[in-house]
Amino acid sequence: DAGITQSPRHKVTETGTPVTLRCHQTENHRYMYWYRQDPGHGLRLIHYSYGVKDTDKGEVSDGYSVSRSKTEDFLLTLESATSSQTSVYFCAISGTRGYNEQFFGPGTRLTVL
Amino acid sequence: DAKTTQPTSMDCAEGRAANLPCNHSTISGNEYVYWYRQIHSQGPQYIIHGLKNNETNEMASLIITEDRKSSTLILPHATLRDTAVYYCIVTSRIMDSNYQLIWGAGTKLIIKP
């Protein structure tokens, strides 16, 4: 399995608080992604990165920001969490075998009360 | 919206071949067919992809029709551990500003003893 970890794995927070999720890889892959998964929806891309300090928006980027200061870390920040951001968040990486062949982390379950 | 159509659910007996269909009638010439699966509560797992020739790897076989409007993922000897949601995704391999994998609802495959 690809070396991808996510932290925290579970988090409960209150509306209006800032939240940062971390994705860490040991594969030195160029591309990193953040998805959310909700019941009744497939995975939806939030943001992705194609290199250090190079990021772009995905389908559902409103309310989220990202940063990538090192190849191995991709941070997802909810500046002011809302209940609609309650979801399971997956990080993915891709690289040497093409960016469509993505390897996923174990996920973070976030609950915003 | 997803560019593919898959059955919502399927059953298969353990030890038999599981054949998962996917329709992608609007696929264009530079688009590939990718298959992923997601076992309950885990991150998705890449299975296989193809352009127009049939492909086989250690996990599965992919059969693409000559007109490329549909494909079938074959798990040759299904086990209980193959119970998962299977996603068929059509995408270009070219990175552009609008790049993203579009995930539909997939097919829930249940392997029965």
Side-chain angles (χ1 to χ4, degrees), chain A residues 55-67:
Chain A
T55 66
D56 206 347
K57 297 179 179 180
E59 178 188 359
V60 291
S61 59
D62 287 349
Y64 302 94
S65 62
V66 291
S67 66

Side-chain angles (χ1 to χ4, degrees), chain A residues 6-79:
Chain A
Q6 293 184 229
S7 59
R9 293 293 313 280
H10 301 271
K11 186 172 182 65
V12 179
T13 190
E14 294 187 350
T15 298
T17 60
V19 176
T20 295
L21 308 182
R22 181 185 184 228
C23 177
H24 179 78
Q25 61 146 329
T26 58
E27 305 296 321
N28 201 36
H29 279 356
R30 176 181 177 188
Y31 301 104
M32 298 186 75
Y33 313 81
W34 276 108
Y35 290 90
R36 61 178 290 174
Q37 187 172 35
D38 305 294
H41 293 274
L43 276 77
R44 292 182 291 175
L45 183 65
I46 304 171
H47 283 278
Y48 66 97
S49 169
Y50 46 96
V52 173
K53 295 191 183 344
D54 291 324
T55 66
D56 206 347
K57 297 179 179 180
E59 178 188 359
V60 291
S61 59
D62 287 349
Y64 302 94
S65 62
V66 291
S67 66
R68 191 170 179 199
S69 59
K70 300 184 290 184
T71 298
E72 58 266 35
D73 288 326
F74 193 31
L75 304 181
L76 177 71
T77 298
L78 292 65
E79 299 290 348

Side-chain angles (χ1 to χ4, degrees), chain B residues 16-89:
Chain B
R16 304 296 294 269
N19 296 276
L20 292 94
C22 179
N23 287 321
H24 31 79
S25 59
T26 61
I27 192 169
S28 60
N30 67 344
E31 289 184 317
Y32 287 70
V33 180
Y34 280 76
W35 283 84
Y36 282 78
R37 72 180 182 183
Q38 186 174 23
I39 296 170
H40 181 64
S41 299
Q42 298 181 20
Q45 177 188 23
Y46 165 80
I47 301 173
I48 198 168
H49 75 276
L51 181 62
K52 54 184 177 181
N53 297 320
N54 297 338
E55 302 287 345
T56 295
N57 63 19
E58 65 278 5
M59 290 183 66
S61 295
L62 174 60
I63 309 298
I64 302 174
T65 58
E66 190 170 348
D67 63 8
R68 303 210 321 124
K69 293 185 177 181
S70 65
S71 60
T72 301
L73 178 74
I74 301 172
L75 308 178
H77 304 287
T79 71
L80 298 179
R81 290 176 295 179
D82 292 322
T83 292
V85 177
Y86 287 77
Y87 297 96
C88 171
I89 301 170

Side-chain angles (χ1 to χ4, degrees), chain A residues 37 59 99-102 104, chain B residues 36 38 49 92 94 99:
Chain A
Q37 187 172 35
E59 178 188 359
Y99 68 83
N100 286 328
E101 295 165 42
Q102 299 182 10
F104 284 77
Chain B
Y36 282 78
Q38 186 174 23
H49 75 276
S92 167
I94 300 173
Y99 157 77

